[in-house]
Amino acid sequence: MQAARKGEGFDTDTGAPESMVRAQLSVTWFDLACRFVDLKWPHAAAKSRTGIADALATVTSVLVTTKRGKPDDKVLRAALYGWAFHKVRRETTKLTGKVAAALKWLQDNSLRVVTLNEKEQRSQLIRSALDTIALKMDGTPAAAKTVARKRAIFYGALNYAVELDILPANPIDRVAWKAPAIAEEVNRNVVARPRQVRALLGAIEDKRPELTAFYGCLYYAYMRPSEAKVLRKGDCIDLPDEGWDSSCSPATRPASGRNGRTPGRATRNGS
C-alpha cells in the first residue's frame, strides 16, 4: 500500500514493488551468507557454528565475479572463517591490514545471489562451489562426511534465499552433481600394532581374564563384537595348545530386532 501511495511501479512478473525487487536483486552471496550465520547463531552449538563458518568460507571464496586481484587464499579464509562468519567478532571487532583488504575485495566482487539461478551460469557456478567443497585446502579430496556436511550447509543457505524471496527455488536441485568417489585409506597412526595388541590383551588378562578371549577374537579373527559374543568352542577348528589362532568361525549370527537393535538371542546361519 505504501508503494502504491508513493506512485511506485510494480514488477509485472512478481507483483512486488520495484524498490523491493531492486533490493532483492542486489543481495550478494556474501550478504546472504552473513545473514544465514546470524539466523543460525543463537540456536547453534559451538561445533555447529564452526561447521557453518567452515562451509560458507569454502564456497564464498569461489562465488565471485572475477579472480583479478584476488587475495591469498589463507588471508581470505581468515577474513571469512575468523571474522565475517563469526557473529560476535563481526559485531565487536574491526579488521585491519591484509585481512581487512581481503574482506573488502570479497565484498566488492561477491556474486549476486540471483545469478546462481540464471540458466546461462547456474550449472557452472553451482558445480564450481560443490567441486570446491569436495576438496581440502591443500587440493586433496575431502572425506565423504565432510563433503556431505558442507553441501548441506550450502543447500541450507540457498533455501534461506528462497525463504527471503530472493530465489524462486534452490538451484542445487537443478544440478545433477555427485561427489567424486574416493578410496578412504586406513590411518596407520590410529591402528594398534601387534606388539601393542599383545600388551593390551595382557592388561585385560590381569584385570578381567574372562574378557581376554573376546577381545582377542576381535583382533585375530576379525570378528564383530556381536560375532565374538556368540562364539562357542565347537565353532573353532584345530585350536593350538597355546597362543592365538584365527580359524574360528561363529556358526551363529545376531538377528536384528524390530527396533534395529541387536537382541539377546542368535539364530543359526541359513535359518
Side-chain angles (χ1 to χ4, degrees):
M1 291 296 294
Q2 291 181 350
R5 288 170 184 165
K6 293 178 182 178
E8 185 177 342
F10 290 81
D11 183 75
T12 56
D13 293 328
T14 64
E18 290 180 348
S19 59
M20 182 181 295
V21 174
R22 285 194 297 271
Q24 291 171 337
L25 293 177
S26 65
V27 175
T28 66
W29 167 258
F30 175 76
D31 294 332
L32 176 69
C34 288
R35 290 165 71 175
F36 184 69
V37 169
D38 294 349
L39 173 73
K40 296 293 185 180
W41 191 272
H43 309 292
K47 189 173 182 180
S48 296
R49 292 172 179 174
T50 299
I52 292 171
D54 181 29
L56 294 179
T58 301
V59 298
T60 300
S61 62
V62 298
L63 295 179
V64 292
T65 58
T66 181
K67 292 185 178 181
R68 181 178 298 177
K70 184 178 180 181
D72 179 78
D73 288 339
K74 291 183 178 180
V75 177
L76 195 56
R77 181 173 176 82
L80 294 172
Y81 179 78
W83 190 84
F85 300 147
H86 190 292
K87 186 175 186 294
V88 175
R89 290 176 188 165
R90 178 161 27 91
E91 294 176 347
T92 59
T93 62
K94 186 176 181 179
L95 293 178
T96 58
K98 291 183 178 180
V99 181
L103 188 69
K104 178 65 167 58
W105 179 90
L106 185 67
Q107 291 173 317
D108 293 341
N109 294 284
S110 182
L111 275 175
R112 292 181 301 118
V113 176
V114 292
T115 307
L116 297 173
N117 200 46
E118 293 178 357
K119 293 181 180 179
E120 299 80 7
Q121 303 186 69
R122 178 173 55 215
S123 177
Q124 184 269 324
L125 292 173
I126 295 298
R127 285 181 180 277
S128 177
L130 293 174
D131 287 344
T132 302
I133 282 175
L135 299 175
K136 298 178 184 177
M137 289 190 67
D138 61 5
T140 58
K145 288 184 179 180
T146 300
V147 177
R149 173 179 57 80
K150 289 186 176 182
R151 183 191 180 281
I153 293 169
F154 183 35
Y155 190 90
L158 290 173
N159 267 351
Y160 186 46
V162 177
E163 181 182 333
L164 297 175
D165 291 326
I166 299 173
L167 293 174
N170 197 315
I172 290 182
D173 292 332
R174 305 290 297 275
V175 179
W177 181 88
K178 187 177 181 180
I182 60 172
E184 305 233 7
E185 296 183 0
V186 175
N187 185 349
R188 294 179 178 274
N189 293 324
V190 298
V191 177
R193 291 169 172 76
R195 176 178 53 80
Q196 294 172 316
V197 172
R198 289 193 294 271
L200 288 171
L201 292 175
I204 294 171
E205 179 69 24
D206 292 338
K207 296 182 179 296
R208 296 289 301 275
E210 71 278 12
L211 295 177
T212 306
F214 173 81
Y215 286 105
C217 286
L218 302 188
Y219 181 77
Y220 289 105
Y222 313 110
M223 291 183 186
R224 296 189 294 266
S226 57
E227 292 174 328
K229 182 179 178 180
V230 298
L231 184 67
R232 298 294 180 266
K233 187 175 182 180
D235 298 325
C236 302
I237 305 171
D238 297 329
L239 287 176
D241 294 332
E242 59 181 28
W244 294 97
D245 187 80
S246 60
S247 60
C248 294
S249 177
T252 58
R253 55 181 171 83
S256 182
R258 291 182 180 178
N259 61 359
R261 297 178 180 175
T262 302
R265 69 183 188 86
T267 58
R268 291 280 174 183
N269 281 334
S271 61

